[in-house]
Amino acid sequence: MKILLLGSLISAAQMEQLNRNSKEKASVAPVNYETMLAKGLVENGAKLDALSVPAVAAFPHSIYKHIDRKQETIENGIHIHWIPFINIQGLKQFTIKKNVEKLLEQWLWENKDVKDKAVLMYSIYPPYTEPAMCLCKKYGCHLTTVITDLPEYMYSWKKMKGVRGWYSKRLSEKMLNLQGKCDSYILFTKPMAAKMGIEDKPYMVSEGFCDISIFEDIPDQEKYPKKNHCVRR
């Protein structure tokens, strides 16, 4: 099966560099989750590529006015294509959307004859969700989405004011409008389905992942011997 992971997956080294040059640090949790998800899919036989929008604060909250298109390969041979964009609020979202349209359609066209394929999207981020929904429908490609946080609450904790506050509210409204339009979902909890109004759509619940490599150094025998407990009567 061929899968395109659409999200924010980049290498840990690149993520660290972006945060080092930013006043506002992006959370590494999405990258950690997407890395384990991608590794698990590859280890189970999927052919996976990633189309990624690096998580970085907009200028002047970071030094980056522009994020260039680049490619990198991380563990398990996972190939990542960076989406380029102008990193200034407003222009950032517009340029992400236009470049996702271009690169996603290129992948869908190249794989138009592959029957067993899907786009796996991390979160309902409008600049890439809107083109993904349109293009997957156009090419008859299944679109499934990982929802780790309810869209209606994703930006509420920031409590931003002014233009940024208006934008975060607008983004939340768009996410709520889009959240029920994917083909299937991966959720963290079952109640999320009812809250999002997608109980009639296919979904599965994934509470988390475990990296089995952490057990490689544990010997076959138990580390601590079992103890026989005697209960006196």
Side-chain angles (χ1 to χ4, degrees), residues 148-159:
T148 56
D149 297 299
L150 288 170
E152 64 183 285
Y153 298 126
M154 283 191 67
Y155 291 91
S156 60
W157 62 272
K158 292 189 176 183
K159 298 180 181 178

Side-chain angles (χ1 to χ4, degrees), residues 71-84:
Q71 299 183 26
E72 60 174 332
T73 301
I74 61 172
E75 50 197 315
N76 289 42
I78 298 166
H79 197 59
I80 302 171
H81 302 256
W82 286 36
I83 298 290

